[in-house]
Amino acid sequence: MSLEDQLKKLFPDHQVSNEPEMVEETKHELFVQKEPMICKYEKRKGKPTTIIAGYEGEDEDFKLLAKEIKNKFAVGGSFKDGEIIIQGDYRDKIMKYLQEKGFKTKRVGG
């Protein structure tokens, strides 16, 4: 028995519509905070890393921001414990990118 037949048994009064469904897509807006985000440089296991911390919005938004940054600069990285960890020293580029998106940033360390 096909899925269509099963659905007809469950919903005998349903009329099939051939019209395409209209779905409104709204672009997801990131929460822009008043406090600056902190961009710092560290060496972990001898390798340079850029760490972005201090986001006050939802973790899901911060994960989306991490994905955007990784795609924009074609770098590896991760999101862990409320921080975005990017492989390499990209502080200046990332800070400029965040400022263009409306975030305030603060440089920490050398």
Coordinates of all heavy atoms in Angstrom, one line a residue, residues 5-62:
D5 N -2.2 6.1 -0.7 CA -3.4 5.4 -0.3 C -3.6 5.4 1.2 O -4.7 5.5 1.6 CB -3.2 3.9 -0.8 CG -3.2 3.7 -2.3 OD1 -3.8 4.6 -3.0 OD2 -2.6 2.7 -2.8
Q6 N -2.5 5.4 1.9 CA -2.6 5.4 3.4 C -3.2 6.8 3.8 O -4.0 6.9 4.7 CB -1.3 5.2 4.0 CG -0.8 3.8 3.9 CD 0.6 3.6 4.5 OE1 1.2 4.5 5.0 NE2 1.1 2.4 4.3
L7 N -2.7 7.8 3.2 CA -3.2 9.2 3.5 C -4.7 9.4 3.1 O -5.4 10.0 3.8 CB -2.3 10.3 2.8 CG -0.9 10.4 3.4 CD1 -0.1 11.4 2.5 CD2 -1.0 10.9 4.8
K8 N -5.1 8.7 2.0 CA -6.5 8.8 1.6 C -7.4 8.1 2.6 O -8.5 8.6 2.9 CB -6.7 8.2 0.2 CG -6.3 9.1 -0.9 CD -6.6 8.5 -2.2 CE -6.0 9.4 -3.3 NZ -6.2 8.8 -4.7
K9 N -6.9 7.0 3.2 CA -7.7 6.3 4.3 C -7.8 7.2 5.5 O -8.8 7.2 6.1 CB -7.0 5.0 4.6 CG -7.4 3.9 3.7 CD -6.8 2.6 4.3 CE -7.3 1.4 3.5 NZ -6.9 0.1 4.0
L10 N -6.7 7.9 5.9 CA -6.7 8.7 7.1 C -7.5 10.0 6.9 O -8.2 10.4 7.8 CB -5.3 9.1 7.5 CG -4.4 7.9 8.0 CD1 -3.0 8.4 8.2 CD2 -5.0 7.5 9.4
F11 N -7.5 10.5 5.7 CA -8.1 11.8 5.4 C -9.0 11.7 4.2 O -8.6 12.2 3.1 CB -7.1 13.0 5.3 CG -6.2 13.1 6.4 CD1 -4.8 12.6 6.3 CD2 -6.5 13.7 7.6 CE1 -4.0 12.7 7.4 CE2 -5.7 13.8 8.7 CZ -4.4 13.3 8.6
P12 N -10.2 11.1 4.3 CA -11.0 10.8 3.1 C -11.6 12.1 2.5 O -11.8 12.1 1.3 CB -12.1 9.9 3.6 CG -12.1 10.0 5.0 CD -10.8 10.5 5.5
D13 N -11.7 13.2 3.2 CA -12.4 14.4 2.7 C -11.3 15.4 2.1 O -11.7 16.4 1.6 CB -13.1 15.1 3.9 CG -14.2 14.2 4.4 OD1 -14.8 13.4 3.6 OD2 -14.6 14.4 5.6
H14 N -10.1 15.0 2.2 CA -9.0 16.0 1.7 C -9.0 16.1 0.2 O -9.1 15.1 -0.5 CB -7.7 15.5 2.2 CG -6.5 16.3 1.8 ND1 -6.3 17.6 2.2 CD2 -5.6 16.1 0.8 CE1 -5.3 18.1 1.6 NE2 -4.8 17.3 0.8
Q15 N -9.0 17.3 -0.3 CA -8.9 17.6 -1.7 C -7.4 18.0 -2.0 O -6.9 18.9 -1.4 CB -9.8 18.7 -2.1 CG -11.3 18.4 -1.9 CD -11.8 17.3 -2.7 OE1 -11.4 17.1 -3.9 NE2 -12.6 16.4 -2.2
V16 N -6.8 17.3 -3.0 CA -5.5 17.6 -3.4 C -5.4 18.9 -4.2 O -6.2 19.1 -5.1 CB -4.9 16.4 -4.2 CG1 -3.4 16.8 -4.6 CG2 -4.9 15.2 -3.4
S17 N -4.5 19.8 -3.8 CA -4.3 21.1 -4.5 C -3.0 21.0 -5.3 O -2.0 20.6 -4.8 CB -4.3 22.2 -3.4 OG -3.9 23.4 -4.1
N18 N -3.1 21.5 -6.5 CA -1.9 21.5 -7.3 C -1.2 22.9 -7.3 O -0.2 23.1 -8.0 CB -2.2 21.2 -8.8 CG -2.6 19.7 -8.9 OD1 -2.1 18.9 -8.1 ND2 -3.4 19.4 -9.9
E19 N -1.7 23.8 -6.5 CA -1.1 25.1 -6.4 C 0.2 25.1 -5.5 O 0.2 24.4 -4.5 CB -2.1 26.1 -5.7 CG -3.3 26.4 -6.5 CD -4.2 27.4 -5.8 OE1 -3.8 28.1 -4.9 OE2 -5.4 27.4 -6.1
P20 N 1.2 25.8 -5.9 CA 2.4 25.8 -5.1 C 2.2 26.5 -3.8 O 1.4 27.5 -3.8 CB 3.5 26.5 -6.0 CG 2.7 27.2 -7.0 CD 1.4 26.5 -7.2
E21 N 2.8 26.0 -2.8 CA 2.6 26.7 -1.5 C 3.5 27.9 -1.4 O 4.7 27.9 -1.8 CB 3.1 25.7 -0.4 CG 2.0 25.4 0.6 CD 2.5 24.5 1.7 OE1 2.3 23.3 1.5 OE2 3.0 24.9 2.7
M22 N 2.9 29.0 -0.9 CA 3.7 30.2 -0.8 C 4.3 30.3 0.6 O 3.5 30.3 1.6 CB 2.7 31.5 -1.0 CG 2.2 31.6 -2.4 SD 3.4 31.7 -3.6 CE 4.0 33.3 -3.4
V23 N 5.6 30.3 0.7 CA 6.3 30.4 2.0 C 7.0 31.7 2.0 O 7.9 31.9 1.2 CB 7.2 29.1 2.1 CG1 8.0 29.2 3.5 CG2 6.4 27.9 2.0
E24 N 6.7 32.5 3.1 CA 7.5 33.7 3.2 C 8.7 33.4 4.0 O 8.7 32.9 5.1 CB 6.6 34.7 4.0 CG 5.8 35.6 3.1 CD 5.2 36.7 3.9 OE1 5.9 37.4 4.7 OE2 4.0 36.9 3.8
E25 N 9.9 33.8 3.4 CA 11.2 33.6 4.1 C 11.6 35.0 4.6 O 11.7 35.9 3.9 CB 12.2 33.1 3.1 CG 12.0 31.6 2.7 CD 13.1 31.1 2.0 OE1 14.3 31.5 2.2 OE2 12.9 30.2 1.1
T26 N 11.9 35.0 5.9 CA 12.4 36.2 6.5 C 13.8 36.0 6.9 O 14.2 34.9 7.4 CB 11.6 36.5 7.8 OG1 11.6 35.4 8.7 CG2 10.1 36.9 7.5
K27 N 14.6 36.9 6.5 CA 16.1 36.8 6.8 C 16.3 36.9 8.3 O 15.8 37.8 9.0 CB 16.8 37.9 6.1 CG 18.3 37.7 6.2 CD 19.0 38.5 5.2 CE 20.5 38.4 5.6 NZ 21.4 38.1 4.6
H28 N 17.1 36.0 8.8 CA 17.4 35.9 10.3 C 18.3 37.1 10.7 O 19.3 37.3 10.1 CB 18.0 34.6 10.7 CG 18.2 34.5 12.1 ND1 17.2 34.3 13.0 CD2 19.3 34.5 12.9 CE1 17.6 34.2 14.2 NE2 19.0 34.4 14.2
E29 N 17.9 37.9 11.6 CA 18.7 39.0 12.1 C 19.4 38.7 13.3 O 18.9 38.1 14.3 CB 17.8 40.2 12.4 CG 16.9 40.7 11.2 CD 17.4 42.0 10.6 OE1 18.1 42.7 11.4 OE2 17.1 42.3 9.5
L30 N 20.7 39.0 13.4 CA 21.5 38.7 14.5 C 21.3 39.8 15.6 O 21.1 41.0 15.2 CB 23.0 38.7 14.2 CG 23.5 37.6 13.3 CD1 24.9 37.8 12.9 CD2 23.4 36.3 14.1
F31 N 21.3 39.4 16.8 CA 21.2 40.4 17.9 C 22.5 41.2 18.0 O 23.6 40.7 18.1 CB 21.0 39.6 19.2 CG 21.1 40.5 20.5 CD1 20.0 41.4 20.8 CD2 22.2 40.4 21.3 CE1 20.1 42.1 21.9 CE2 22.2 41.2 22.5 CZ 21.2 42.1 22.8
V32 N 22.3 42.6 17.9 CA 23.5 43.4 17.9 C 23.5 44.1 19.3 O 22.5 44.8 19.7 CB 23.4 44.5 16.8 CG1 24.6 45.4 17.0 CG2 23.4 43.9 15.5
Q33 N 24.5 43.8 20.1 CA 24.6 44.3 21.5 C 25.3 45.6 21.6 O 25.9 46.1 20.7 CB 25.3 43.2 22.3 CG 26.7 43.0 21.8 CD 27.3 41.7 22.2 OE1 26.6 40.7 22.4 NE2 28.6 41.6 22.4
K34 N 25.1 46.2 22.8 CA 25.8 47.5 23.1 C 27.2 47.3 23.5 O 28.1 48.1 23.2 CB 25.0 48.2 24.2 CG 23.6 48.7 23.7 CD 22.9 49.4 24.8 CE 21.6 50.1 24.4 NZ 20.7 49.3 23.6
E35 N 27.5 46.2 24.3 CA 28.8 45.9 24.8 C 29.7 45.4 23.6 O 29.2 44.7 22.8 CB 28.8 44.9 25.9 CG 28.1 45.3 27.1 CD 28.8 46.5 27.8 OE1 30.1 46.5 27.9 OE2 28.2 47.5 28.1
P36 N 31.0 45.7 23.6 CA 31.8 45.2 22.5 C 32.2 43.7 22.6 O 32.2 43.2 23.7 CB 33.1 46.1 22.7 CG 33.1 46.5 24.1 CD 31.7 46.6 24.5
M37 N 32.3 43.1 21.5 CA 32.8 41.7 21.5 C 34.3 41.7 21.6 O 34.9 42.6 21.0 CB 32.3 41.0 20.2 CG 30.8 40.8 20.2 SD 30.2 40.2 18.6 CE 31.0 38.6 18.5
I38 N 34.9 40.7 22.2 CA 36.3 40.7 22.5 C 37.0 39.8 21.5 O 36.6 38.6 21.3 CB 36.6 40.2 23.9 CG1 36.0 41.3 24.9 CG2 38.1 40.0 24.1 CD1 36.0 40.8 26.3
C39 N 38.0 40.3 20.8 CA 38.8 39.6 19.8 C 40.2 39.5 20.4 O 40.8 40.5 20.6 CB 38.8 40.2 18.5 SG 37.3 40.3 17.6
K40 N 40.6 38.2 20.7 CA 41.9 38.1 21.2 C 42.7 37.0 20.5 O 42.1 36.2 19.8 CB 41.9 37.8 22.7 CG 41.1 36.6 23.1 CD 41.0 36.4 24.6 CE 40.1 35.3 25.0 NZ 39.9 35.2 26.4
Y41 N 44.0 37.1 20.6 CA 45.0 36.2 19.9 C 45.6 35.3 21.0 O 46.1 35.8 22.0 CB 46.0 37.1 19.2 CG 47.1 36.3 18.6 CD1 47.0 35.6 17.5 CD2 48.4 36.3 19.3 CE1 48.1 34.9 16.9 CE2 49.4 35.5 18.8 CZ 49.3 34.9 17.6 OH 50.3 34.2 17.1
E42 N 45.7 34.0 20.7 CA 46.3 33.1 21.6 C 47.1 32.1 20.8 O 46.8 31.9 19.7 CB 45.3 32.4 22.5 CG 44.7 33.1 23.6 CD 43.8 32.2 24.5 OE1 43.8 31.0 24.3 OE2 43.1 32.8 25.4
K43 N 48.1 31.5 21.4 CA 48.7 30.3 20.8 C 48.3 29.1 21.6 O 48.4 29.1 22.8 CB 50.2 30.5 20.9 CG 50.8 31.4 19.8 CD 52.2 31.1 19.6 CE 52.6 31.8 18.3 NZ 54.0 31.5 17.9
R44 N 47.7 28.2 20.9 CA 47.2 26.9 21.5 C 48.0 25.8 20.8 O 47.9 25.6 19.6 CB 45.7 26.7 21.3 CG 44.9 27.8 22.1 CD 43.5 27.4 22.2 NE 42.8 28.4 23.0 CZ 41.5 28.3 23.3 NH1 40.8 27.3 22.7 NH2 40.9 29.1 24.0
K45 N 48.7 25.0 21.6 CA 49.5 23.9 21.2 C 50.5 24.5 20.1 O 50.8 23.8 19.1 CB 48.7 22.8 20.6 CG 47.8 22.2 21.7 CD 47.0 21.0 21.1 CE 46.1 20.5 22.2 NZ 45.2 19.5 21.6
G46 N 51.0 25.7 20.3 CA 52.0 26.2 19.4 C 51.4 26.8 18.1 O 52.2 27.4 17.3
K47 N 50.1 26.8 17.9 CA 49.5 27.3 16.7 C 48.7 28.6 17.1 O 48.0 28.7 18.1 CB 48.6 26.3 16.1 CG 49.4 25.1 15.7 CD 48.5 24.1 15.0 CE 49.4 22.9 14.6 NZ 48.6 21.9 13.9
P48 N 48.7 29.6 16.1 CA 48.0 30.8 16.4 C 46.5 30.6 16.3 O 46.0 29.9 15.4 CB 48.5 31.8 15.3 CG 49.0 30.9 14.2 CD 49.5 29.6 14.9
T49 N 45.7 31.2 17.2 CA 44.3 31.1 17.1 C 43.7 32.5 17.4 O 44.3 33.3 18.2 CB 43.7 30.1 18.1 OG1 44.1 30.4 19.4 CG2 44.1 28.7 17.8
T50 N 42.6 32.8 16.8 CA 41.8 34.0 17.1 C 40.6 33.6 17.9 O 39.9 32.7 17.4 CB 41.4 34.8 15.8 OG1 42.6 35.0 15.1 CG2 40.7 36.1 16.1
I51 N 40.3 34.3 19.0 CA 39.2 33.9 19.8 C 38.2 35.1 19.9 O 38.7 36.2 20.2 CB 39.6 33.5 21.2 CG1 40.5 32.2 21.0 CG2 38.4 33.2 22.1 CD1 41.2 31.8 22.3
I52 N 37.0 34.9 19.6 CA 35.9 35.9 19.7 C 35.0 35.5 20.8 O 34.4 34.4 20.8 CB 35.2 36.1 18.4 CG1 36.2 36.4 17.3 CG2 34.1 37.2 18.5 CD1 35.9 35.7 16.0
A53 N 34.8 36.4 21.8 CA 34.0 36.1 22.9 C 33.2 37.3 23.3 O 33.4 38.4 22.7 CB 34.8 35.7 24.1
G54 N 32.2 37.2 24.2 CA 31.5 38.3 24.7 C 30.2 38.6 24.0 O 29.6 39.6 24.1
Y55 N 29.6 37.6 23.3 CA 28.3 37.8 22.6 C 27.2 37.5 23.6 O 27.2 36.5 24.3 CB 28.2 36.8 21.4 CG 27.0 37.0 20.6 CD1 26.8 38.2 19.8 CD2 25.9 36.1 20.6 CE1 25.7 38.4 19.0 CE2 24.8 36.3 19.8 CZ 24.7 37.5 19.0 OH 23.6 37.7 18.3
E56 N 26.2 38.4 23.7 CA 25.2 38.3 24.7 C 23.9 37.7 24.2 O 23.0 37.5 25.0 CB 24.9 39.7 25.3 CG 26.1 40.4 26.0 CD 25.9 41.8 26.3 OE1 24.9 42.4 25.9 OE2 26.7 42.4 27.0
G57 N 23.8 37.5 22.9 CA 22.6 36.9 22.3 C 22.5 35.4 22.5 O 23.2 34.8 23.3
E58 N 21.6 34.8 21.7 CA 21.4 33.3 21.7 C 22.7 32.6 21.2 O 23.3 33.1 20.3 CB 20.2 33.0 20.9 CG 18.9 33.5 21.4 CD 18.5 32.8 22.6 OE1 18.7 31.6 22.8 OE2 18.0 33.5 23.5
D59 N 22.9 31.4 21.7 CA 24.0 30.6 21.2 C 23.9 30.2 19.8 O 24.8 30.2 19.0 CB 24.1 29.3 22.1 CG 25.0 29.5 23.3 OD1 25.6 30.6 23.5 OD2 25.1 28.6 24.1
E60 N 22.6 30.0 19.3 CA 22.4 29.7 17.9 C 22.8 30.8 17.0 O 23.4 30.6 15.9 CB 20.9 29.3 17.7 CG 20.5 28.0 18.4 CD 21.3 26.8 18.0 OE1 21.5 26.6 16.8 OE2 21.7 26.0 18.8
D61 N 22.5 32.0 17.4 CA 23.0 33.2 16.6 C 24.5 33.3 16.5 O 25.1 33.6 15.5 CB 22.4 34.5 17.2 CG 20.9 34.7 17.0 OD1 20.3 33.9 16.3 OD2 20.3 35.6 17.6
F62 N 25.1 33.0 17.7 CA 26.6 33.1 17.7 C 27.2 31.9 16.8 O 28.2 32.1 16.2 CB 27.1 32.9 19.2 CG 28.4 33.6 19.5 CD1 28.8 34.7 18.8 CD2 29.2 33.0 20.4 CE1 30.0 35.3 19.1 CE2 30.4 33.6 20.7 CZ 30.9 34.7 20.0

